[in-house]
Structures are given as structure tokens and as C-alpha cells.
Amino acid sequence: MCIIFFKFDPRPVSKNAYRLILAANRDEFYHRPSKLADFWGNNNEILSGLDMEEGKEGGTWLGISTRGKLGALTNYLQPQQDKDARGRGELVTHFLTTDMDSLSYLKKVSAEGHLYNGFNLIAADLSTAKGDVVCYYGNRGESEPAILTPGTYGLSNALLETPWRKLCFGKRLFMEAVERSQALSKDALVAQLLDVLNNEEAQLPDPAIEDQGREYIQPILSKYAAVCVRCTNYGTRTNTIILVDADGHVTFMERSMLDKDPSRWETNTYEFTLQN
């Protein structure tokens, strides 16, 4: 289970406004090995965490490159998993390392979507000169990817904007923070977005999540019904916030759980300017 909120406006009217504000949680088993976010690639141009699970090494759930490519992935809630399916994390790393534009890449992915378990994929080209393009594809939805219009979106473990109660609740909190963003310092905005991502209020009952996850037992689904998931061995392990301003300056903040311990966290912030 994961959740992503994002707002984008390729040409903000105010110099103080952000072109992109993204806040995301990665939910995963605490024991699954992964690397904290850092730069990697041929020219160290890609910034992301990396999955180190055997057989799926090098995949990622969220990343951005200095060339302005951004990719983000969530799994689709489906109790019956194909153990022979390809690792979904490669979908993001392949996009970040390719020269294909976001829409062309997602069209290619849509032709191969049957090779994977259920997923949602956001792919974006952030260009200070040409304007930003953000696209979406989910292999349990429409057959063709979509170019998104500027606005605010929420994505969890159903299709984009599926109104799970926790998604609607979190999106409202996210929008309230975004509306205050121009009056806040960057640090204050990041702090408010972290508050959104770490909200543990279960949004129950939720018939939509219960219907999609009907093969799960009810107590497990109830644990999944908050923006921040907290179970014994599974839950929110990483908070990520990405801010891109009008000049293409990127702030990437990652807050990560240490040593499978929900009481211990490490925060790292990276800043760079898009090279396009």
C-alpha cells in the first residue's frame, strides 16, 4: 500500500508558486531491503531510493532525474498475485534512464502491462523551457495512458482519483497545505506536508476499499485505511516530498525508517536545478 498526492501547474502565475508539489508514502514490509535515496546512474543524474529485494534489485517506487524526468509507482490492491510476474519497480527505473518522453513510454508500458501484477504509474517530463507534461497509466484501467491536465490529484492502490475515504481525507489535508504554500517558508511547507503523510486516523468504514480487497481479512483492511499505515511488520517506511519551483529548482526530502523500527527515522534533503 502506498499513497501519493501531487499538484502541478506548468506555468505558475506567481514567482513564489511551485510548479510541482508532491507528497508520497511508501508502505512496505519492514524487513524488505532497500537503499535510501541517493544519486545514481551513468552521470549520477537520477535521485531515488532503490529496492534491494532479491530478484528485484534496482527497482524503485519514486524518483526524479536532473534532466526533469519523474516517475512514481503504486501497486494495485489485488489479493491474488502472480508470483512469476515481472517486478513493477523496474517500470520507474526504466523511465528514468530512457530518452523516451513520458507519453511514449507509457504507451510502450501499456502494451506490456499484462506482464505485471496490478500497478499505477505516473511519468512526467519537467521542462522549464517547454512546460511540464504529466501522464498516467494503470494496467487495471483504461488501455491507453492519459495526459493529465494541471491540477491536484491523489493516487493510492486503486486507479487514479478512486475515492477511497483515506485518499479523499488525505487529499483535502494536502490541498489545505498547498493553498498556504506561498505564505509559508519552504521548511514550514515541508513540515505541514509531513503532517499530512503521517496522519494515522483510520477512515472507516470504507466500502470501496473493502470491495476491492474483499479477499483480505477485515482487520488487515482496517489497518490500511489511514494515510499512514502502521502494522506490526508492515507499514509506512518512507515519506518523500518533492518541490519544483518556477525556475526549475528541485527540493527532494526523504524521511526513512531505520532498522525496521517505527520510532527511528532519518531525514535527508537534496537540492538541484533541472538541466533543460
Side-chain angles (χ1 to χ4, degrees), residues 53-75:
E53 178 84 356
E54 184 176 356
K56 299 179 180 179
E57 299 93 339
T60 189
W61 53 96
L62 174 63
I64 187 171
S65 77
T66 57
R67 295 185 297 151
K69 301 178 79 69
L70 181 147
L73 175 84
T74 70
N75 294 343

Side-chain angles (χ1 to χ4, degrees), residues 198-210:
N198 288 288
N199 189 297
E200 297 183 25
E201 299 175 38
Q203 303 301 305
L204 294 169
D206 188 345
I209 191 173
E210 290 173 8

Side-chain angles (χ1 to χ4, degrees), residues 26 32-41 46-53 56-62 89 93 96 237 254:
R26 180 198 184 206
R32 183 164 180 160
S34 62
K35 287 185 177 179
L36 301 182
D38 204 349
F39 285 99
W40 58 276
I46 299 169
L47 176 59
S48 78
L50 289 172
D51 189 4
M52 298 305 293
E53 178 84 356
K56 299 179 180 179
E57 299 93 339
T60 189
W61 53 96
L62 174 63
T93 55
L96 295 174
R237 285 180 45 175
E254 182 187 79

Side-chain angles (χ1 to χ4, degrees), residues 146-190:
I147 300 175
L148 302 183
T149 57
T152 305
Y153 296 87
L155 176 64
S156 187
N157 301 100
L159 299 175
L160 184 69
E161 287 288 282
T162 296
W164 285 6
R165 287 191 59 183
K166 76 170 191 176
L167 190 76
C168 296
F169 173 71
K171 184 180 175 182
R172 176 171 59 80
L173 297 180
F174 174 78
M175 292 177 70
E176 290 172 357
V178 168
E179 287 170 4
R180 296 189 291 266
S181 61
Q182 292 188 57
L184 297 173
S185 68
K186 185 190 296 183
D187 289 346
L189 173 59
V190 168

